[in-house]
Amino acid sequence: MPTRRMTLGLLLCAGSPALAQQARPQRPPQGPSLSAPRTLMAGAMAAAFVSRAPANARLAIARPTDPAESAIVAAPLGQVSVLSLPAPGEVGTFELRLLGESDGKPVILLHQPLVTTTPSATLAAPARLSRGNPLPVRGIGPNGDRDRVVLTKPDAPPEAQGPNFFPAENVENTLEAPDEPGTYELRYVMDAPLTGPRVLARREVIVE
């Protein structure tokens, strides 16, 4: 049984600011954090979640051996906590970096590996249609922010223009068929860093 003196001593200890502070140690301030996929199809969008980033921070994709001031693609974070960058169109091992500044020079605050796999795409559309009629199309691939599904001539270069849409906005759309009859080619064109425009899928379309 505790005596009256012991009870009074316990109450005094519980009310002591010094002892209360010792009982609740302060946590050290936390630094920034970075969370993003480590494996991604080449040319796809790499979405990164960042918290507690310092002012003027940037998100970048670089080769692991690149210095802090070198990047394949980079963008400022601003006030957002989620930012997407287009992954390189090449297959390989890269690095996603959170960059800050020290004495006016970029420094790497956080980094994690980013492995890109072989890009691929699929197309679905009617094989024949009458000229001037709408052409319903579905195109799925890396869906990078500059990828296009385009209808053009079969011998045209990868950067050729024509009726098109951006699968990053919607994988299904309707294109207007050319007025001139003939054989055309529906393409999924990936347009990613390091590779530029590259045709991933083709489908013949005959306009009658």
Side-chain angles (χ1 to χ4, degrees):
M1 293 288 293
T3 65
R4 182 176 179 181
R5 180 177 296 177
M6 291 174 61
T7 303
L8 181 60
L10 290 171
L11 290 173
L12 289 173
C13 288
S16 171
L19 292 176
Q21 187 174 5
Q22 291 177 4
R24 296 191 300 270
Q26 294 182 350
R27 293 181 179 180
Q30 294 181 328
S33 67
L34 172 65
S35 176
R38 295 175 178 266
T39 303
L40 198 66
M41 183 187 293
M45 301 300 292
F49 298 81
V50 183
S51 60
R52 298 181 298 276
N56 300 323
R58 293 186 301 149
L59 193 66
I61 296 176
R63 293 182 175 87
T65 56
D66 287 344
E69 61 271 16
S70 179
I72 297 169
V73 60
L77 272 173
Q79 301 299 315
V80 303
S81 58
V82 181
L83 187 65
S84 294
L85 293 179
E90 293 182 357
V91 175
T93 299
F94 301 91
E95 196 170 75
L96 190 67
R97 296 173 173 177
L98 179 64
L99 301 175
E101 285 188 4
S102 178
D103 297 327
K105 296 182 179 180
V107 293
I108 302 173
L109 303 177
L110 293 171
H111 62 92
Q112 72 170 52
L114 176 64
V115 177
T116 55
T117 60
T118 304
S120 62
T122 59
L123 292 168
R128 310 176 77 94
L129 76 159
S130 300
R131 55 183 179 177
N133 282 359
L135 175 67
V137 177
R138 174 192 289 259
I140 301 176
N143 294 2
D145 60 352
R146 296 189 301 179
D147 290 5
R148 293 179 301 129
V149 174
V150 59
L151 184 67
T152 185
K153 289 289 188 179
D155 57 350
E159 63 274 12
Q161 299 298 312
N164 68 88
F165 68 91
F166 298 95
E169 299 174 358
N170 195 334
V171 298
E172 292 184 348
N173 212 315
T174 301
L175 301 180
E176 184 177 348
D179 291 330
E180 181 181 348
T183 300
Y184 292 82
E185 189 172 77
L186 186 68
R187 296 174 174 177
Y188 186 105
V189 181
M190 178 184 74
D191 192 354
L194 295 184
T195 60
R198 176 183 167 191
V199 180
L200 296 185
R202 308 170 189 265
R203 182 177 175 85
E204 184 180 87
V205 175
I206 298 176
V207 177
E208 300 173 325

